[in-house]
Amino acid sequence: MSFVILLLLAVAALGALLLYRGGRGVAVDDHPLCRRCGFDLTGRPEGVERCSECGADLGAPRAIRIGHRATRQKLVAAGALLLVIGLGSAGAAMWAAGSQTNWQQYKPLWWLVRETDDVDRAVSKAALAELALRLGAGKLSDAQILRLADRALAIQGDATKAWSTEWGDLVESARAINKLPDDRWRKYAEQAPNFALQVRPEVRKGDRIPLWIRSMPARIGSRTQFYVRYERASRTWDVGPVRLEPEGSGGGGSGISATGGGATGTSLDVAKFLDRLPPGKHVVKLSQTITIQTSYDDQAQPIATRRIDLAASFDLLPPDRPTVKVVSDPSVRAAVERAITCSEVKPYGSSVSIQMDVKPRPVGVAYQVYLRTPDGKEHAGGTFAAPARKSGGFSFGGKAPELTAPTVDLVLRPSTGAAIGTTDVFEMWDGVIVLEDVPVKQNPPEGKSE
């Protein structure tokens, strides 16, 4: 590539020379001329030392040149063409060579660190990628690695700053090569989880308060595998001025990821505190101790423990104020029926598990599901509800007689209670739907696997 560029520059130089020679032209007479203004001095009286046109001193060295000159047009054209071709091609070749060069590798560390804060995501991502390469190649000192880790931890701990998973990858790579001390690793794990509390915005006085603890995008690397555990005994709920009793023993947990996802749902019963909760806006507060570890295994060594505090507000309405709008519109029946299917009915002794799949619809739905056996009897099998234009899967179950028939009918009856028990269903269609001849997935005979 360098030889080609030099050749093209030589062509451009030749073009420049020809352009100069052609532009200078060739002498067509031997008339004396003022070099400054080009005035023809033929017939100048003897002893006159000033140009009668511009007043130049004609006695100065090289003040007079000899002969008018004619431009050599063909030479000018050839020179201009070679110059344009040579410079243009050389420029294109140098641009192509430069675009294939990884300029990041030549930037000093301070420059790269500064670019990690660039508002242009492509610039910051490229800088972090180069830092990761230098870390992996052993080109960073221990002190430099610690400074980068501390910068990452400062950003991770500041919720007002956007988080990049590349920072998390950098921290975790430093840990993998034993360059990140335990205290920094513990802080990284402690700051990683990101939860949010979602409460139904309007709750009728006397109803339970439904809510979700949602796992939001965690401030970690792209390949992190952290698991969060909690004990219910460490959890406290406050609804306005009311402190609820601990939920009892046991616990749970979930993995966290950079993309988020997953949630834990529950509802709070404040019936015996209604005298202390007047209608109006109230705040639900959750305080919970969580443990962060690298595995869901109960015996896994904890990395860090922290207390999370979440809050969300809701309006408590009088008991006669409905929080669900019932829609009576026969024209949406076909769309609702197409949107709701059952992918599985599976008996477990005296119980049954049901999996419903719901696609987007023009109206919200909320149903109590009944299994209708061949004898015509209906048995409650659980509830589900979904807002309009939202899809999802719902698994639930209930008591049921032994299902020996290969199929069963599912009767979906509108239920305001199912809607009230959610955080996002505020309207529901009032039509009954019947899913006929839904296959029953029987357990395999004993001794055989599915």
Side-chain angles (χ1 to χ4, degrees):
M1 178 65 76
S2 59
F3 174 75
V4 174
I5 293 174
L6 289 175
L7 182 60
L8 291 170
L9 289 176
V11 171
L14 177 61
L17 178 61
L18 294 178
L19 187 61
Y20 168 74
R21 295 293 297 273
R24 186 169 183 271
V26 60
V28 295
D29 57 37
D30 58 356
H31 292 194
L33 306 174
C34 174
R35 187 175 294 277
R36 176 191 287 181
C37 67
F39 181 69
D40 193 332
L41 302 174
T42 302
R44 173 171 60 101
E46 187 176 351
V48 175
E49 299 296 330
R50 292 284 176 182
C51 175
S52 60
E53 181 71 18
C54 66
D57 182 6
L58 300 177
R62 292 178 52 80
I64 298 175
R65 65 180 176 84
I66 302 300
H68 289 90
R69 306 186 75 85
T71 301
R72 303 168 72 178
Q73 297 295 338
K74 291 183 179 181
L75 208 57
V76 169
L81 180 62
L82 289 177
L83 182 63
V84 170
I85 292 175
L87 287 181
S89 300
M94 287 188 288
W95 180 85
S99 63
Q100 296 174 5
T101 301
N102 178 19
W103 297 109
Q104 297 293 102
Q105 61 185 321
Y106 301 111
K107 294 179 180 178
L109 184 65
W110 65 265
W111 189 341
L112 291 172
V113 172
R114 183 174 182 178
E115 285 188 339
T116 61
D117 285 335
D118 199 290
V119 294
D120 187 335
R121 172 69 174 141
V123 173
S124 62
K125 188 173 182 178
L128 287 166
E130 176 60 25
L131 291 173
L133 287 174
R134 296 186 188 185
L135 175 64
K139 295 181 179 180
L140 300 178
S141 67
D142 290 355
Q144 289 172 332
I145 293 173
L146 284 182
R147 284 198 295 272
L148 286 174
D150 288 341
R151 186 177 183 85
L153 293 173
I155 296 172
Q156 183 197 35
D158 187 348
T160 65
K161 292 186 177 181
W163 174 252
S164 298
T165 55
E166 289 82 6
W167 273 121
D169 292 338
L170 200 67
V171 171
E172 293 171 36
S173 295
R175 179 67 178 182
I177 60 175
N178 298 317
K179 297 294 184 180
L180 189 74
D182 289 344
D183 61 331
R184 264 81 164 190
W185 183 239
R186 182 166 52 252
K187 187 174 183 179
Y188 177 70
E190 181 181 315
Q191 296 180 159
N194 181 20
F195 294 100
L197 183 64
Q198 180 183 5
V199 178
R200 187 174 179 85
E202 292 184 342
V203 178
R204 189 174 54 186
K205 194 167 186 176
D207 291 339
R208 296 178 70 94
I209 304 172
L211 52 85
W212 287 93
I213 305 169
R214 298 197 178 277
S215 181
M216 309 302 288
R219 299 172 80 85
I220 52 180
S222 60
R223 56 183 181 270
T224 311
Q225 293 184 345
F226 281 162
Y227 192 80
V228 174
R229 301 193 68 87
Y230 65 89
E231 299 295 331
R232 290 190 179 89
S234 72
R235 174 184 291 179
T236 61
W237 291 100
D238 291 281
V239 182
V242 175
R243 167 64 60 89
L244 303 183
E245 295 295 326
E247 297 176 340
S249 59
S254 64
I256 60 174
S257 71
T259 57
T264 301
T266 187
S267 63
L268 303 178
D269 185 4
V270 294
K272 60 182 179 181
F273 302 105
L274 293 183
D275 58 329
R276 298 170 58 187
L277 292 172
K281 188 171 290 294
H282 296 279
V283 176
V284 176
K285 296 180 181 179
L286 164 66
S287 184
Q288 170 78 65
T289 299
I290 61 172
T291 299
I292 302 98
Q293 53 195 52
T294 56
S295 169
Y296 65 85
D297 189 344
D298 290 341
Q299 304 304 315
Q301 186 67 30
I303 307 173
T305 299
R306 62 174 276 199
R307 193 82 178 170
I308 61 170
D309 295 291
L310 308 176
S313 62
F314 72 99
D315 283 323
L316 187 64
L317 304 182
D320 58 349
R321 285 274 302 277
T323 60
V324 178
K325 177 184 177 182
V326 178
V327 177
S328 298
D329 184 358
S331 69
V332 301
R333 171 173 290 279
V336 173
E337 290 180 336
R338 284 194 303 269
I340 300 178
T341 57
C342 177
S343 58
E344 181 176 281
V345 173
K346 189 171 184 179
Y348 293 92
S350 59
S351 300
V352 65
S353 171
I354 302 173
Q355 172 71 40
M356 302 296 300
D357 296 310
V358 182
K359 296 179 180 179
R361 296 133 283 102
V363 66
V365 293
Y367 288 109
Q368 170 73 55
V369 180
Y370 294 88
L371 293 93
R372 186 165 63 194
T373 51
D375 59 7
K377 294 182 178 179
E378 295 183 358
H379 308 271
T383 64
F384 74 93
R389 293 172 292 280
K390 185 175 181 180
S391 60
F394 299 88
S395 296
F396 50 87
K399 297 292 184 180
E402 184 176 0
L403 299 177
T404 57
T407 63
V408 68
D409 293 343
L410 296 184
V411 182
L412 281 55
R413 300 191 182 280
S415 169
T416 55
I420 289 172
T422 71
T423 59
D424 57 359
V425 179
F426 312 111
E427 69 164 16
M428 52 171 283
W429 185 56
D430 67 352
V432 176
I433 293 178
V434 179
L435 304 180
E436 297 181 338
D437 300 324
V438 178
V440 176
K441 187 176 182 180
Q442 298 289 352
N443 289 308
E446 200 168 315
K448 294 185 178 181
S449 60
E450 293 187 76

